[in-house]
Amino acid sequence: MLIVHVFVHVKPDSVDAFEAATRENARNSVREEGVVRFDVVQQEDDPTRFVLMEIYRTPEDPGRHKATAHYAAWRDAVEPMMAEPRRSVRYRARFPAPAGWELPEALTR
């Protein structure tokens, strides 16, 4: 499994629009076969900062994700909302076991 944390800083006047676009991208992303989870979190003391926690089954799955129409639509929509370029860090899962990361099926609909 590959875990990617994407750190995003958006312009203050774009927080709501960024969140809406990102939620839509996340809803579509969790339907991809290679995506285990796609979580969106917002920093409590600075609502202009978000972390997207993307969990993939294989190292090839992020590339497949970036080839989807919903990712391209999200990328193009949120680019002008960024206060600075987003950055990502890749991690390997150590605990729990892979099945422990799976979302309940009801959350992927």
Side-chain angles (χ1 to χ4, degrees):
M1 283 190 9
L2 174 67
I3 299 169
V4 181
H5 287 189
V6 180
F7 299 90
V8 183
H9 183 199
V10 300
K11 297 172 185 172
D13 62 344
S14 297
V15 169
D16 292 340
F18 174 82
E19 184 176 349
T22 302
R23 283 176 181 245
E24 182 61 22
N25 181 51
R27 278 194 275 292
N28 285 294
S29 296
V30 296
R31 293 184 178 121
E32 295 172 41
E33 187 173 322
V35 175
V36 176
R37 293 182 69 103
F38 196 108
D39 298 351
V40 179
V41 297
Q42 185 177 30
Q43 189 169 317
E44 190 171 309
D45 64 346
D46 183 352
T48 66
R49 295 189 182 269
F50 292 81
V51 178
L52 312 182
M53 296 183 294
E54 306 171 14
I55 303 175
Y56 298 97
R57 288 184 169 76
T58 72
E60 294 76 35
D61 289 321
R64 291 195 245 310
H65 167 66
K66 288 182 178 180
T68 64
H70 64 87
Y71 171 80
W74 173 83
R75 180 197 62 216
D76 294 346
V78 301
E79 192 64 37
M81 300 178 195
M82 302 286 174
E84 60 189 73
R86 64 189 181 277
R87 64 182 184 83
S88 63
V89 178
R90 291 175 171 230
Y91 300 91
R92 286 187 212 140
R94 295 299 186 219
F95 184 86
W101 293 90
E102 296 283 343
L103 282 172
E105 188 175 327
L107 293 178
T108 63
R109 294 184 191 150

